[in-house]
Amino acid sequence: MARNQTDSHANDRALGDEKRSDKPIRFKAKKNIYWEDWGHMRRVFVAGRVYDGVLHSDGNVTGYSPYFDVDDFVSAEEIEIIN
């Protein structure tokens, strides 16, 4: 998956500059977070470390995994937004 290609990214772009409220954030993973990758679970965020993400206009959060150079949705319950 290329960066910035989730449905929330597309929705933000469709809103236009006047209506969109997405913003870059930093977040700390509360626990190890895994994403499914063709039938295999891959650890993409390590508990206690801080990562880049986006808080979207629709309230969803996407996180960028530097280990796999992809971004995808992150559950708000699994992270703490730093700024």
Side-chain angles (χ1 to χ4, degrees):
M1 171 183 283
R3 289 193 68 180
N4 300 324
Q5 296 297 316
T6 65
D7 290 342
S8 289
H9 284 106
N11 291 339
D12 286 334
R13 286 190 299 272
L15 286 173
D17 290 339
E18 293 81 34
K19 293 183 182 177
R20 66 190 288 182
S21 62
D22 58 316
K23 64 179 183 176
I25 61 167
R26 305 265 298 151
F27 67 90
K28 184 189 315 185
K30 292 181 182 178
K31 63 179 194 167
N32 289 332
I33 300 173
Y34 296 83
W35 289 341
E36 190 271 334
D37 176 28
W38 293 93
H40 301 295
M41 297 306 290
R42 307 283 185 208
R43 184 175 66 177
V44 292
F45 301 112
V46 177
R49 293 191 185 164
V50 176
Y51 298 94
D52 293 324
V54 176
L55 175 59
H56 295 281
S57 303
D58 61 10
N60 288 324
V61 174
T62 55
Y64 170 69
S65 173
Y67 309 111
F68 296 98
D69 194 31
V70 297
D71 59 0
D72 206 346
F73 295 106
V74 180
S75 171
E77 293 82 35
E78 296 177 330
I79 64 169
E80 174 187 346
I81 297 176
I82 304 298
N83 61 5

